[in-house]
Amino acid sequence: MQLKIYSLASINIDEVYHVPHIVKPGETLSSTQRQENAGGKGANASVAAARAGAKLHIVGKIGHDGLWVRDLLSSSGANTDLISVLDDTATGRAIIQVDAHGENSIVLFPGANYKVSKDDACRAFSQCSAGDWLLLTNETTGVADAIAQARACGMQILWNPAPMIADMVSSKQPVDMVDILVLNETELIALARQYDGIGMTEGADEKYTSIARQVLDRLGIRAIIVTLGSDGSVGL
């Protein structure tokens, strides 16, 4: 039987404005082009998994302004029955400026993404089976509760905790309850610095591999994947 994947997904509407330069404080600037796209880290990952043939269920929340995004997610092959539509909250938004050199500046409005609760996780996982997967980022509320609920159900958990919380360890985020942790190099170092005794060695790839191995040993989880941009990734 094919395992199911549940994606606790941030679902956004991306408003992209092309500008000559990133707007300065107090400046009013006309854009040369505007685009509106579906976005959100969780939604993007969900589409990729669904198009790859996964039996994927998206768990999330939108406003009525995001119904077209839900339809787009459904057309990718994802099951959207667990996406709730709220009457009193707008869909999350990302206001993105892109300058002539490709540099960008982003303002996030979390909207309905910050209305996800413990009850939503309990309801979503009521039909799960042991061995099913949960995918998460840090762009919604309810993450810690979802991880605890998924672990209690015997699910496997992959967490990309972006944006990274500065005090993940001291605030007792359930990072040691996941199976696979996905971080970029900046997030890896930020997490490692929250533990005593992890050495920050010199050198490029060697440094990240060494730090990732120490974090892996400290957490006792199954695997860590470190994304390195154009340099690929490291998996342990």
Side-chain angles (χ1 to χ4, degrees):
M1 183 177 67
Q2 185 181 10
L3 295 176
K4 298 187 292 292
I5 299 175
Y6 292 83
S7 175
L8 182 60
S10 53
I11 304 170
N12 289 340
I13 297 172
D14 290 351
E15 296 182 39
V16 183
Y17 296 88
H18 294 263
V19 292
H21 59 265
I22 303 300
V23 67
K24 300 178 178 64
E27 179 183 21
T28 299
L29 186 66
S30 293
S31 64
T32 58
Q33 185 180 354
R34 178 185 181 275
Q35 297 169 303
E36 192 165 277
N37 307 311
K41 289 181 184 294
N44 292 339
S46 299
V47 168
R51 287 178 175 172
K55 188 176 181 181
L56 188 124
H57 299 256
I58 300 177
V59 183
K61 293 191 173 183
I62 59 174
H64 286 275
D65 57 335
L67 291 175
W68 67 272
V69 179
R70 185 187 63 182
D71 293 342
L72 191 62
L73 294 171
S74 180
S75 70
S76 74
N79 184 305
T80 59
D81 292 346
L82 296 172
I83 296 178
S84 301
V85 182
L86 305 181
D87 292 328
D88 58 350
T89 306
T91 303
R93 296 256 173 177
I95 311 302
I96 306 169
Q97 298 179 61
V98 181
D99 73 10
H101 303 288
E103 296 294 331
N104 65 58
S105 177
I106 303 173
V107 176
L108 284 178
F109 167 67
N113 293 316
Y114 273 21
K115 297 293 185 178
V116 178
S117 68
K118 179 179 180 179
D119 290 342
D120 295 316
C122 291
R123 184 167 56 254
F125 304 149
S126 61
Q127 301 299 316
C128 73
S129 302
D132 287 347
W133 279 92
L134 171 63
L135 311 182
L136 314 96
T137 71
N138 263 359
E139 288 191 337
T140 71
T141 49
V143 170
D145 289 325
I147 289 175
Q149 178 70 16
R151 179 55 65 204
C153 294
M155 298 176 72
Q156 305 176 83
I157 304 165
L158 184 150
W159 189 17
N160 176 6
M164 172 69 73
I165 299 172
D167 58 347
M168 293 242 331
V169 176
S170 62
S171 63
K172 302 187 184 305
Q173 295 296 310
V175 66
D176 58 344
M177 294 177 65
V178 307
D179 292 279
I180 301 175
L181 198 61
V182 180
L183 307 163
N184 64 27
E185 59 265 56
T186 302
E187 293 158 352
L188 172 67
I189 292 173
L191 179 60
R193 284 176 173 160
Q194 297 179 48
Y195 292 100
D196 294 330
I198 292 184
M200 301 292 181
T201 58
E202 297 299 325
D205 293 344
E206 295 82 0
K207 176 177 76 171
Y208 297 123
T209 301
S210 172
I211 296 172
R213 190 174 301 282
Q214 292 175 76
V215 172
L216 183 68
D217 292 342
R218 182 66 63 90
L219 294 176
I221 63 177
R222 189 194 308 178
I224 287 182
I225 299 171
V226 184
T227 59
L228 303 171
S230 60
D231 293 326
S233 62
V234 173
L236 297 174

